[in-house]
Amino acid sequence: HILVVEDSIVLGEVLRFNLEQEGFIVTWAADGKEAIELFAQCVFDLVVTDYEMPILNGEQVCDQIRNEFLSDVPIIMCTAKGMELDLRKLAAKY
């Protein structure tokens, strides 16, 4: 069961469609707040999240999953901001 966190409707639908075509069960959250609410209700095997989103960004989503839920679920961050992020800092944190 994969949680996709993406505020772009088009990208969210593309991710959902492709993952479901490969046989995965997908739950889609349109922002970080919704993702955390869903994470509190369901067990996920993987989280795929955007970085830049309203309400809670991808880093904040990761923080809450790791620190509040104490979960070690794998997290993949997909973002166009790759060159602007401090990847070493993120890798060390998570």
Side-chain angles (χ1 to χ4, degrees), residues 45-87:
D45 302 299
L46 174 67
V47 175
V48 178
T49 184
D50 186 14
Y51 181 82
E52 192 170 4
M53 296 180 293
I55 306 173
L56 295 175
N57 68 28
E59 185 174 355
Q60 292 166 318
V61 169
C62 291
D63 282 343
Q64 289 196 21
I65 288 172
R66 293 289 185 253
N67 300 321
E68 291 182 27
F69 293 101
L70 302 176
S71 175
D72 61 353
V73 65
I75 301 171
I76 298 172
M77 190 174 297
C78 298
T79 181
K81 300 286 184 184
M83 300 305 288
E84 299 169 28
L85 297 176
D86 185 342
L87 297 179

Side-chain angles (χ1 to χ4, degrees), residues 2-93:
I2 300 174
L3 175 60
V4 171
V5 190
E6 174 57 64
D7 62 319
S8 165
I9 293 170
V10 173
L11 290 176
E13 283 295 327
V14 167
L15 286 167
R16 183 196 56 75
F17 175 81
N18 284 299
L19 290 167
E20 286 179 348
Q21 289 299 302
E22 293 300 319
F24 295 101
I25 298 168
V26 178
T27 299
W28 176 28
D31 61 54
K33 181 178 182 282
E34 182 181 359
I36 294 304
E37 291 168 357
L38 288 166
F39 200 87
Q41 299 170 14
C42 300
V43 174
F44 294 99
D45 302 299
L46 174 67
V47 175
V48 178
T49 184
D50 186 14
Y51 181 82
E52 192 170 4
M53 296 180 293
I55 306 173
L56 295 175
N57 68 28
E59 185 174 355
Q60 292 166 318
V61 169
C62 291
D63 282 343
Q64 289 196 21
I65 288 172
R66 293 289 185 253
N67 300 321
E68 291 182 27
F69 293 101
L70 302 176
S71 175
D72 61 353
V73 65
I75 301 171
I76 298 172
M77 190 174 297
C78 298
T79 181
K81 300 286 184 184
M83 300 305 288
E84 299 169 28
L85 297 176
D86 185 342
L87 297 179
R88 288 185 181 176
K89 174 186 153 200
L90 287 174
K93 255 178 114 170

